[in-house]
Amino acid sequence: MNEMELSEKPALQAFQDIGYSYKHGSELGPNSDDPERQSHSDVVLRGRLEQKLRDFNPSIPDEGIEDAISQLLGFNSTRMLKNNKDFHEKLVSGIQVEYEVNGETRGDFVDVFDFENPGANDFLVSNQVVIQIGEGPQRRPDIVVFINGLPIAVLEMKDPTNPQASMGNAYKQVTDRYVKDIPDLFHYNELIGILDMNNAKLGCLSSGWEWFSPWRYIDEEKDVTDELPPSEVLIRGAFDKSRILDLIENFVLFADEDGKLGKKLAAYHQFYAVNSAVESSRNVVPDPDEDRIGLVWHTQGSGKSLSMVFYAKKIRREISMENPTLVYLTDRNDLDDQLYREFRKHDLNAEWADSDNRVELRDRLDREAGGIIFATIQKFQTTDDEVTYPEVNDRQNMIVVADEAHRTQYKSLATNVRDGLPNASHLGFTATPIEKEDRSTTNTFGGYISQYTIRESEKDGSTVPIYYESRLAKLQVNDPEIEDRFNELMESKSDDLKNEMKKKWTQLRQVIENSEERTEMIADDIVEHYNNREIEGKAMAVAISRQAAVNLAEKIRENPEAPETRVVISGAEDYIADPISNEELKRRFKDPDDPFEIAVVCDKWLTGFDAPHLHTLYVD
């Protein structure tokens, strides 16, 4: 009773406030006065489902409607997530059915949801729904959300009266107990919510607890104050009739991850950012006087690549875009490859122009409609006999999406992109805030349309805080003017001084590479610090150059107390005899039990990956 009063009742009231009808679970059951379930094993409210299928598909005869219901209620696999994926595709794309008319077999699609008119759908919330599959135990999920009779969401409340209860326990109640004992309910599941009085997180099937995230906004980005409880914000934000259908249609992904099917749901900052980008695109793309869609700044580690996937999915569904062509630009081959693979992994038919020469890329861009093309911006260069870049495609529904839009390559080559695609619109994604003085970036892409800062990311738990400990490894450089010149360079913005800075930086790199005594001192300091940390895990050391990385790794390995240490650099064969491939090193480093514990790198690892056990970074 206390759990009902303190947790369920306010949540149910919030659902009713946004237009959901409500019935207690006992009113739906087979023993009620007006049962909507024939037995406790039924998880779909068939009467509501059939009524909406007839409403949305008036031209489909009874035979076709029954075929659609049969397909929705049947499962083709013993794997729950495979069935869930098949169900999701039917929701979004419709159900292909066959029926006879005057002796002829006809095929058609049956719509399950009306995504264009959210209010036309049937929204019901219920609590304490008794479910029992076969001879298994009875289970009562706290709240089940039905749309058109289909149980698309489960919300579980942490018992506020139990001091031993936790959000994590409520998550396990769903993923361990409910999924095991009442699996039929989760064949139809799109969202899983875990709530208490002070916290609320949203996720989906196959998501580990670390991927469940809060929901901070309601109608638009940053519109919520601390006055509303998190559970109410989540319900009003994510379960609003329009937004829940938008989430299902455009913000759910399935992908094969290392041979295993996985499901992903957009976090709130991705959802609102993509919708802001789509809305801005609607306003900009047909406007001949404006070609800047805007900038999305989401801090590192916040899922920027997935946001670009969600944007592509949704913008291609926009009727007003008239089947746009999306051109995704990066400034590095490895980032181009990584982003392209992210799209292909999520069933977006993208084309990769990495192996194309400059002219062949133009052939790809010269098309009448559609397509997703990936290319490095360096390919937008003139050929030897060209003075200016030629016009390639003058269509107005070309959209150029730049990754890491602040970097200098976009500034220098932006003119060529605009010359080649003169009527294209431009959208920028970046993980780094744009400097106020950087007018070329805002001139190219426009102002911010979404911001998700590192402070917000840390608050949400999607980015861990960074703790900094200073070390000092002095270099002896006989140049009394170096400090004055350094200060001068830092304050100046002239190209001449920037070039001079590069020269001095090169000299500094040479000093570091050739200072064996200093390298040995740093190596011993790293080993001592690593071995005496109060936490277990792996570490990464960043050197100023590839040669410096090789030197540092050698000195670390000379220390008898050092764990296994490897160098991860591009062109390793130029520095190391019989180098191990970067993919093999990544596989080993991702394994917390593998003895490879310290990676020495220069600049970056070639592609990002999740390694929660990596949490110590040494930067020289």
Side-chain angles (χ1 to χ4, degrees), residues 524-569:
D524 290 343
D525 184 52
I526 288 175
V527 173
E528 180 182 1
H529 180 273
Y530 181 84
N531 289 337
N532 290 296
R533 295 173 307 164
E534 296 180 355
I535 50 178
E536 295 293 328
K538 298 191 177 187
M540 183 179 287
V542 185
I544 195 173
S545 68
R546 287 182 288 179
Q547 185 61 58
V550 172
N551 296 346
L552 180 58
E554 289 177 353
K555 289 298 181 183
I556 291 175
R557 285 195 288 264
E558 289 175 6
N559 189 313
E561 302 297 324
E564 182 178 342
T565 301
R566 298 284 177 180
V567 179
V568 183
I569 56 175

Side-chain angles (χ1 to χ4, degrees), residues 157-170:
M157 309 292 177
K158 188 200 86 171
D159 184 354
T161 65
N162 181 2
Q164 305 301 319
S166 68
M167 294 277 285
N169 290 340

Side-chain angles (χ1 to χ4, degrees), residues 14-25:
F15 273 107
Q16 293 174 78
D17 289 345
I18 60 175
Y20 283 63
S21 58
Y22 165 69
K23 276 191 173 183
H24 189 275

Side-chain angles (χ1 to χ4, degrees), residues 457-482:
S457 182
E458 287 180 4
K459 181 181 178 181
D460 293 340
S462 54
T463 301
V464 296
I466 296 171
Y467 298 95
Y468 174 74
E469 180 181 346
S470 178
R471 297 293 229 238
L472 185 62
K474 288 185 177 181
L475 272 173
Q476 298 301 320
V477 182
N478 295 321
D479 186 351
E481 298 181 0
I482 192 168

Side-chain angles (χ1 to χ4, degrees), residues 15-277:
F15 273 107
Q16 293 174 78
D17 289 345
I18 60 175
Y20 283 63
S21 58
Y22 165 69
K23 276 191 173 183
H24 189 275
S26 60
E27 298 179 76
L28 302 174
N31 300 321
S32 67
D33 294 337
D34 185 19
E36 296 197 47
R37 304 164 61 210
Q38 298 305 307
S39 74
H40 288 311
S41 64
D42 293 336
V43 296
V44 173
L45 308 181
R46 181 172 176 136
R48 293 176 186 252
L49 174 62
E50 183 174 344
Q51 180 61 54
K52 284 302 170 184
L53 293 187
R54 294 187 186 281
D55 290 346
F56 298 156
N57 306 276
S59 64
I60 304 293
D62 290 348
E63 182 184 355
I65 297 297
E66 288 299 322
D67 184 10
I69 294 174
S70 178
Q71 290 188 52
L72 275 177
L73 300 185
F75 308 127
N76 298 320
S77 172
T78 57
R79 294 188 297 157
M80 178 186 295
L81 206 56
K82 175 64 168 60
N83 291 329
N84 188 254
K85 181 176 185 286
D86 293 342
F87 168 75
H88 175 80
E89 290 172 350
K90 290 182 173 70
L91 280 189
V92 173
S93 303
I95 306 170
Q96 189 170 8
V97 298
E98 289 186 350
Y99 51 87
E100 287 193 3
V101 176
N102 298 325
E104 293 185 3
T105 300
R106 291 188 181 179
D108 210 334
F109 280 89
V110 170
D111 292 328
V112 184
F113 287 175
D114 187 341
F115 289 103
E116 297 298 319
N117 303 288
N121 298 278
D122 178 81
F123 293 85
L124 172 72
V125 62
S126 183
N127 62 320
Q128 301 300 317
V129 179
V130 176
I131 301 174
Q132 183 177 23
I133 306 301
E135 299 298 321
Q138 282 192 355
R139 296 298 180 206
R140 297 171 184 255
D142 288 338
I143 293 178
V144 179
V145 177
F146 295 90
I147 301 180
N148 300 343
L150 296 166
I152 58 91
V154 172
L155 277 66
E156 190 69 13
M157 309 292 177
K158 188 200 86 171
D159 184 354
T161 65
N162 181 2
Q164 305 301 319
S166 68
M167 294 277 285
N169 290 340
Y171 164 77
K172 290 181 179 179
Q173 172 86 343
V174 175
T175 57
D176 292 351
R177 188 171 298 177
Y178 293 167
V179 169
K180 175 187 173 186
D181 296 339
I182 48 175
D184 291 13
L185 179 66
F186 293 91
H187 289 298
Y188 308 97
N189 183 266
E190 295 288 351
L191 308 174
I192 297 172
I194 308 296
L195 301 85
D196 69 8
M197 296 174 65
N198 302 308
N199 298 281
K201 292 193 173 186
L202 194 65
C204 62
L205 277 175
S206 88
S207 294
W209 177 235
E210 68 273 17
W211 295 109
F212 274 62
S213 62
W215 196 275
R216 303 285 191 197
Y217 312 144
I218 296 181
D219 292 320
E220 59 187 19
E221 193 169 294
K222 297 178 173 59
D223 67 346
V224 172
T225 66
D226 293 333
E227 296 176 359
L228 288 177
S231 57
E232 186 172 349
V233 174
L234 185 146
I235 292 169
R236 291 180 179 274
F239 286 89
D240 167 85
K241 292 180 179 180
S242 296
R243 283 188 285 273
I244 185 65
L245 293 179
D246 190 11
L247 272 169
I248 292 171
E249 184 179 24
N250 299 300
F251 294 92
V252 173
L253 296 173
F254 290 86
D256 191 290
E257 304 279 0
D258 298 324
K260 184 177 180 181
L261 183 63
K263 184 178 184 180
K264 298 174 184 176
L265 173 72
Y268 74 98
H269 63 275
Q270 295 170 318
F271 175 83
Y272 288 92
V274 168
N275 276 322
S276 294

Side-chain angles (χ1 to χ4, degrees), residues 371-560:
I372 301 174
I373 301 169
F374 284 85
T376 55
I377 195 166
Q378 288 82 356
K379 286 192 168 60
F380 278 86
Q381 295 188 39
T382 56
T383 58
D384 294 338
D385 58 344
E386 292 174 336
V387 178
T388 59
Y389 198 84
E391 181 179 298
V392 177
N393 195 320
D394 65 353
R395 281 174 35 224
Q396 290 188 332
N397 62 340
M398 302 281 290
I399 300 177
V400 177
V401 184
D403 185 21
E404 292 305 337
H406 64 284
R407 288 207 280 251
T408 55
Q409 287 90 332
Y410 293 110
K411 301 170 190 176
S412 60
L413 293 173
T415 300
N416 288 355
V417 177
R418 287 176 178 273
D419 289 343
L421 307 172
N423 295 318
S425 299
H426 298 260
L427 171 64
F429 282 82
T430 180
T432 306
I434 307 302
E435 297 178 13
K436 292 181 180 179
E437 298 83 358
D438 184 5
R439 294 182 179 177
S440 57
T441 299
T442 53
N443 285 342
T444 300
F445 302 101
Y448 290 124
I449 55 176
S450 177
Q451 297 183 55
Y452 184 63
T453 66
I454 191 168
R455 187 165 298 192
E456 292 170 308
S457 182
E458 287 180 4
K459 181 181 178 181
D460 293 340
S462 54
T463 301
V464 296
I466 296 171
Y467 298 95
Y468 174 74
E469 180 181 346
S470 178
R471 297 293 229 238
L472 185 62
K474 288 185 177 181
L475 272 173
Q476 298 301 320
V477 182
N478 295 321
D479 186 351
E481 298 181 0
I482 192 168
E483 184 174 355
D484 292 338
R485 298 294 293 130
F486 176 80
N487 291 332
E488 185 180 354
L489 289 167
M490 290 297 100
E491 294 172 0
S492 172
K493 297 296 179 183
S494 76
D495 290 337
D496 290 342
L497 284 177
K498 285 182 179 179
N499 290 332
E500 186 175 343
M501 187 193 299
K502 290 179 181 178
K503 291 180 182 178
K504 286 188 177 291
W505 188 253
T506 302
Q507 293 169 359
L508 176 63
R509 188 194 76 187
Q510 292 170 349
V511 172
I512 289 177
E513 289 177 356
N514 294 314
S515 179
E516 184 175 354
E517 181 180 352
R518 179 181 182 278
T519 302
E520 184 175 355
M521 178 179 65
I522 292 174
D524 290 343
D525 184 52
I526 288 175
V527 173
E528 180 182 1
H529 180 273
Y530 181 84
N531 289 337
N532 290 296
R533 295 173 307 164
E534 296 180 355
I535 50 178
E536 295 293 328
K538 298 191 177 187
M540 183 179 287
V542 185
I544 195 173
S545 68
R546 287 182 288 179
Q547 185 61 58
V550 172
N551 296 346
L552 180 58
E554 289 177 353
K555 289 298 181 183
I556 291 175
R557 285 195 288 264
E558 289 175 6
N559 189 313

Side-chain angles (χ1 to χ4, degrees), residues 319-376:
I319 297 175
S320 64
M321 294 295 111
E322 298 179 345
N323 193 11
T325 297
L326 303 180
V327 183
Y328 280 81
L329 295 182
T330 66
D331 63 348
R332 296 173 182 169
N333 287 333
D334 53 295
L335 294 179
D336 189 40
D337 177 35
Q338 182 183 6
L339 193 58
Y340 165 76
R341 292 179 186 277
E342 191 75 36
F343 273 63
R344 297 286 294 186
K345 184 169 66 176
H346 293 105
D347 296 329
L348 286 169
N349 189 22
E351 303 171 38
W352 191 27
D354 179 67
S355 58
D356 294 350
N357 62 36
R358 302 170 195 177
V359 176
E360 288 171 340
L361 171 61
R362 299 173 191 180
D363 292 338
R364 286 182 183 267
L365 295 170
D366 185 15
R367 59 178 65 200
E368 293 298 320
I372 301 174
I373 301 169
F374 284 85
T376 55

